[in-house]
Amino acid sequence: MSRIELKNIDKYYGSNHVLKNLNLTIEDGAFMTLLGPSGCGKTTTLRVLSGLENPQNGVILMNDEKIVDAATEFFTPPDKRKLNLVFQSYALWPHMTVFENVAFGLRIKKLAKEEIKRKVDQALERLQILEYSARYPSELSGGQQQRVAIARAIVSDPELLLMDEPLSNLDAKLRMDMRSEIKRLHMEMGTTVVYVTHDQSEALTMSTHIAVFFNGELKQVDTPINVYTNPANLEVAAFIGTPRTNFVEGRARYEDESLKVDTVIGEYSYKENTFTGEEKRTGEFKVVVGIRPEQITISRIKGEIPPNSIVGEVYSVMPSGSETLVEVNVGDTKILIKLMGLIRLSPGEMVSLGFSPDNFTVYDKDSGRLIKKVDVSDSDIK
C-alpha cells in the first residue's frame, strides 16, 4: 500500500501550462478519483505519477520516499515505482490467452511456474473470469476484456493502482456492473487507487476522496458527500450534480454574527457555525444561492401556502421513468426540481415549492467561493 504526496508540480507541453502548482496528498489505501472536464489535467497527473511523463517543477513522494525531484532531474523509472496501470484501451495481447496475458509480467520477473499459476488463478478468480483463462481476447466481451486488463494490473500486488477512464468503452449496464466490481476489489485488497474519469457518477459512487480539476488547477479535494453537498466554489458547484444545481442570485450582509440572505425565493438567516471561514465582507454584497433539485418539494396549490414555500408556474415536465424533472418559473428565475417516480403536472399549472433553507449553499458572487455550507452530519440529506 502507498501514501502519495505531490508537491508544487508544474507540467508544460511547450508553452501550454497543463498542471499549475499542483499539491495533492493521497492517503494510504484511499480510492482517489481525479475528476474534471476534458483537458483539465487529470490524465496528465496520472502520467506524471506513473513516470510516463516528467514534470518541469515539483517533488513526488511515495511512502515518504522521493520518486521525483524535478530540481535535481531525479525521476525514478516507472518499473521501479511499485505501481500498475489500467488504460482506457484494454491493451491485451491478441495472440495470448487470458492466462498468458495476466501472467506476462510475472514471467518477465522470472517467478516460478507454480507461483505464477497461483497468482494468476487468484487474480482471475477475484475478477470472476477464471473460467475464461484458456480463451483469447477476441472470444471475450468488452466487459470481460476489461476484467482481464484489471486482473493483469493487480496480479503483481502493486502498492499503487492507476486507472485511466477504464470503463469509458463499455455500455451503460456494463459500466454499472464494473463500478461495483472495482469498488469491491478495492475494499478486498486495500490497495491505494488513483482513478481518472469525467463521469461524476463513477466518482461519487466509487471513491473515498475526489480531487476536482479545472484548467490544470486543483479546485477541491474532499469526500464524495462533501464535494457533492458543499462544492468549494461556483465552478465546482456548476460541474457537480446531475441534473444541474439551481443558482439563485441575491444579496447578503453579515449582521449580529449571522448571515442575512435575501433572494427571489425568500429571506434567510444563517448562524456562524455554518460559515466556511471565508473573510467576512462589510456592507451588502452579491451572493449566489445553490439549491440541489432533489432538495425541493412541489405541490399543487390547495388553500394556504405552507411555510418556507413559494408559488411558481410549471414551465416544463420531463418524465424519465424512475424520476421526473420539472422546471418552474418563479418570477424571472427558473427552478429545476427532481422528483422520484412519474408526476402528472402540466405546463402553466400553478404550484407551490417547498424548501429546507439549511440545505442551501451560499457563494460570494465576486470571488465565487463558498461562504455558507451545509452541515451534512446534522441535515436531512440522506
Side-chain angles (χ1 to χ4, degrees):
M1 289 187 273
S2 218
R3 183 178 189 270
I4 311 297
E5 293 178 81
L6 296 94
K7 298 181 177 181
N8 308 115
I9 298 294
D10 283 298
K11 176 63 184 173
Y12 294 83
Y13 292 113
S15 61
N16 186 15
H17 198 174
V18 180
L19 292 178
K20 304 170 184 176
N21 194 35
L22 173 62
N23 289 276
L24 176 64
T25 298
I26 303 166
E27 296 296 341
D28 185 20
F31 192 121
M32 173 68 78
T33 295
L34 311 183
L35 176 66
S38 297
C40 68
K42 54 190 186 295
T43 293
T44 302
T45 301
L46 202 74
R47 293 178 65 84
V48 166
L49 255 180
S50 68
L52 297 177
E53 301 280 355
N54 293 327
Q56 281 79 12
N57 296 307
V59 171
I60 301 178
L61 302 175
M62 180 182 287
N63 292 329
D64 298 322
E65 181 181 338
K66 195 177 290 186
I67 60 171
V68 169
D69 188 346
T72 61
E73 297 188 354
F74 173 73
F75 305 105
T76 301
D79 62 333
K80 304 295 184 186
R81 296 192 184 189
K82 300 177 182 177
L83 56 83
N84 267 335
L85 293 101
V86 179
F87 295 103
Q88 183 174 344
S89 61
Y90 313 128
L92 302 178
W93 296 104
H95 64 288
M96 292 183 182
T97 64
V98 167
F99 185 95
E100 291 167 339
N101 265 282
V102 177
F104 184 78
L106 301 181
R107 285 175 175 160
I108 294 293
K109 294 180 179 179
K110 300 186 188 253
L111 268 64
K113 285 185 178 180
E114 296 78 10
E115 181 70 0
I116 290 175
K117 180 166 175 36
R118 184 186 67 80
K119 282 180 168 288
V120 172
D121 284 353
Q122 184 182 56
L124 294 177
E125 191 169 10
R126 269 184 168 157
L127 273 298
Q128 301 175 23
I129 51 172
L130 182 57
E131 62 190 284
Y132 305 126
S133 61
R135 293 191 186 182
Y136 290 90
S138 61
E139 300 174 303
L140 303 176
S141 68
Q144 289 164 347
Q145 289 185 49
Q146 189 57 278
R147 287 171 189 258
V148 177
I150 295 171
R152 182 179 56 189
I154 68 171
V155 71
S156 58
D157 300 315
E159 293 187 8
L160 178 62
L161 185 59
L162 307 179
M163 309 182 84
D164 187 8
E165 303 205 49
L167 309 184
S168 60
N169 289 334
L170 304 180
D171 62 41
K173 183 182 182 302
L174 274 177
R175 279 202 305 272
M176 185 70 71
D177 292 342
M178 285 304 300
R179 284 179 204 166
S180 175
E181 290 298 326
I182 293 172
K183 188 168 184 175
R184 176 189 60 81
L185 195 65
H186 173 253
M187 292 178 69
E188 285 181 1
M189 297 179 63
T191 304
T192 305
V193 176
V194 181
Y195 189 100
V196 166
T197 186
H198 62 271
D199 187 317
Q200 298 176 37
S201 296
E202 285 183 16
L204 292 168
T205 56
M206 296 167 63
S207 318
T208 62
H209 292 80
I210 297 174
V212 185
F213 286 75
F214 283 96
N215 299 318
E217 296 182 355
L218 183 61
K219 297 295 185 178
Q220 183 173 4
V221 183
D222 214 324
T223 61
I225 186 64
N226 280 326
V227 169
Y228 182 80
T229 308
N230 290 309
N233 56 49
L234 283 170
E235 197 171 25
V236 177
F239 179 73
I240 294 288
T242 304
R244 60 172 174 79
T245 297
N246 293 291
F247 291 126
V248 179
E249 296 193 8
R251 306 195 70 84
R253 66 188 184 282
Y254 290 102
E255 182 181 295
D256 300 328
E257 298 184 347
S258 295
L259 176 67
K260 309 288 187 180
V261 178
D262 185 7
T263 73
V264 68
I265 61 171
E267 297 180 19
Y268 308 102
S269 179
Y270 297 106
K271 303 273 187 204
E272 195 157 10
N273 62 356
T274 64
F275 299 171
T276 60
E278 285 289 317
E279 185 177 349
K280 294 181 181 178
R281 296 182 59 171
T282 57
E284 193 174 68
F285 58 98
K286 294 179 180 179
V287 293
V288 177
V289 175
I291 312 165
R292 291 288 182 196
E294 68 272 17
Q295 294 296 323
I296 306 171
T297 61
I298 188 168
S299 304
R300 289 187 171 87
I301 296 176
K302 297 177 181 177
E304 193 173 337
I305 305 298
N308 289 327
S309 295
I310 58 169
V311 174
E313 180 182 346
V314 174
Y315 178 77
S316 68
V317 182
M318 296 166 279
S320 62
S322 63
E323 64 186 37
T324 301
L325 301 181
V326 182
E327 271 193 315
V328 175
N329 285 328
V330 179
D332 295 330
T333 302
K334 273 193 175 62
I335 303 292
L336 182 65
I337 304 103
K338 177 181 175 180
L339 304 168
M340 298 307 296
L342 294 172
I343 309 299
R344 298 185 183 280
L345 290 169
S346 302
E349 192 171 348
M350 301 305 292
V351 292
S352 68
L353 304 182
F355 302 93
S356 177
D358 288 343
N359 291 335
F360 295 175
T361 47
V362 182
Y363 298 86
D364 184 313
K365 185 177 180 181
D366 293 333
S367 69
R369 294 195 186 100
L370 181 69
I371 58 175
K372 180 268 165 187
K373 63 185 179 182
V374 176
D375 185 354
V376 178
S377 64
D378 189 31
S379 76
D380 63 3
I381 292 177
K382 301 296 189 288

